[in-house]
């Protein structure tokens, strides 16, 4: 039987009057919401998290949404903004190896509850294995391991991290990195050369553009007048290469 005009649906648009024209011969694509679950430490104003927010604010959130799997219970600086844009925040049992079975069960629960999550993107470097392995067991087809560093610092977690580093590429379907050296370190030269991809960090250049009025206001606020000031924004971590800056 011929379809009534009220039976004809428009997919992929923003709405409007139903078309009375004869439908095309090829099948129309039904566009649904696609959600990406990002595994992070927690959503504070750190480098990885700020980079993700730069992307998140600018994507078309009608077709693509970001959710966040945080591995620390403390609230993050970006939590309220994320929720205001439609994102979900999931608090995992944590990355302590004692909690590994609970972590895997938790991944099964959230990925079963929200079938729109099609991609899991881990930013925890070696410890991203926890999230990616859970996603693999839950049947998620696209699992991204993202390297953001060129070394693993030796601390009490170093042995565990080195084990996870070896397992990480096997749990991922896609290998991303902030640069080639980081990709080779975490995934191995052979795997990186075969399928690695450099993902440049997004920067809002408008916010960083020099503004003489802002300069004058900040100098006046801190009583700097015409003094020479050398500034640096970043944690006192090895990765920030403070000796080179000095």
């Amino acid at each position: 039987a011929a379809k009534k005009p009220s039976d004809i649906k428009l997919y992929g648009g923003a709405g409007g009057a139903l078309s009375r024209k004869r439908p095309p011969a090829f099948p129309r694509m039904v566009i649904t919401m696609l959600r990406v679950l990002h595994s992070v430490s927690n959503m504070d104003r750190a480098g990885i998290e700020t980079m993700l927010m730069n992307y998140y604010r600018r994507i078309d959130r009608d077709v693509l949404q970001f959710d966040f799997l945080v591995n620390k219970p403390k609230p993050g600086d970006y939590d309220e903004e994320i929720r205001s844009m439609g994102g979900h925040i999931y608090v995992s049992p944590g990355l302590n190896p004692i909690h590994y079975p609970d972590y895997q069960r938790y991944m099964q629960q959230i990925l079963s509850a929200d079938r729109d999550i099609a991609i899991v993107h881990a930013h925890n470097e070696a410890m991203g294995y926890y999230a990616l392995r859970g996603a693999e067991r839950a049947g998620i087809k696209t699992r991204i391991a993202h390297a953001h560093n060129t070394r693993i610092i030796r601390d009490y977690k170093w042995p565990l991290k080195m084990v996870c580093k070896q397992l990480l590429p096997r749990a991922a379907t896609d290998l991303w990195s902030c640069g080639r050296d980081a990709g080779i370190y975490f995934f191995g030269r052979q795997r990186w050369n075969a399928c690695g991809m450099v993902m440049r960090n997004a920067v809002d250049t408008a916010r960083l553009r020099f503004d003489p009025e802002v300069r004058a206001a900040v100098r006046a606020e801190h009583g700097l007048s015409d003094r020479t000031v050398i500034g640096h924004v970043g944690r006192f971590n090895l990765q920030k290469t403070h000796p080179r800056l000095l």
Side-chain angles (χ1 to χ4, degrees):
K3 289 186 178 181
K4 300 176 182 178
S6 58
D7 295 329
I8 302 173
K9 297 180 179 179
L10 300 177
Y11 297 108
L18 295 173
S19 172
R20 294 178 179 273
K21 295 181 180 179
R22 182 178 179 180
F26 56 85
R28 292 182 177 180
M29 180 181 296
V30 179
I31 300 177
T32 59
M33 174 68 72
L34 177 70
R35 306 190 79 96
V36 181
L37 179 64
H38 291 278
S39 177
V40 297
S41 178
N42 73 317
M43 288 306 293
D44 276 339
R45 297 181 187 275
I48 294 171
E49 293 78 7
T50 299
M51 178 265 295
L52 289 174
M53 293 302 293
N54 285 338
Y55 286 121
Y56 190 24
R57 296 182 185 109
R58 289 162 176 79
I59 61 175
D60 184 350
R61 294 188 296 277
D62 290 332
V63 296
L64 179 65
Q65 259 292 352
F66 283 2
D67 297 323
F68 299 88
L69 174 67
V70 300
N71 295 293
K72 291 181 180 178
K74 67 180 289 289
D77 294 329
Y78 290 123
D79 287 3
E80 291 308 312
E81 183 181 358
I82 289 168
R83 293 189 178 101
S84 73
M85 293 192 291
H88 302 149
I89 299 173
Y90 301 97
V91 182
S92 84
L95 297 175
N96 189 311
I98 297 175
H99 299 150
Y100 180 77
D102 294 333
Y103 196 106
Q104 296 301 304
R105 283 192 290 270
Y106 185 72
M107 290 294 295
Q108 294 284 330
Q109 291 171 5
I110 62 177
L111 294 174
S112 297
D114 193 342
R115 295 292 184 177
D116 288 337
I117 297 176
I119 300 170
V120 173
H121 189 159
H123 303 271
N124 315 94
E125 296 173 346
M127 300 304 290
Y129 172 74
Y130 277 44
L132 295 180
R133 176 58 178 147
E136 182 181 25
R137 296 177 66 182
I140 299 297
K141 301 299 184 184
T142 303
R143 305 179 302 276
I144 304 170
H146 199 149
H148 295 275
N149 210 333
T150 57
R151 68 181 67 188
I152 295 176
I153 296 175
R154 286 179 176 265
D155 57 12
Y156 70 98
K157 289 184 180 179
W158 185 79
L160 173 62
K161 291 179 179 179
M162 294 306 291
V163 171
C164 290
K165 176 176 175 286
Q166 295 301 314
L167 299 172
L168 182 64
R170 304 175 193 175
T173 59
D174 297 82
L175 307 178
W176 290 12
S177 176
C178 62
R180 185 172 182 272
D181 290 345
I184 291 173
Y185 177 76
F186 273 96
F187 310 128
R189 187 178 300 275
Q190 184 175 357
R191 285 179 181 268
W192 175 255
N193 289 338
C195 58
M197 186 186 80
V198 172
M199 184 67 174
R200 305 294 183 189
N201 292 346
V203 175
D204 185 351
T205 56
R207 294 188 63 189
L208 301 177
R209 188 176 298 126
F210 175 72
D211 187 326
E213 294 183 1
V214 172
R215 177 181 187 271
V218 172
R219 282 179 168 271
E221 178 183 354
H222 296 283
L224 298 172
S225 63
D226 292 327
R227 296 178 183 176
T228 299
V229 178
I230 300 175
H232 168 60
V233 178
R235 297 191 304 275
F236 285 98
N237 281 19
L238 183 65
Q239 301 97 312
K240 309 306 178 185
T241 62
H242 291 95
R244 184 177 179 183
L245 289 172
L246 294 173

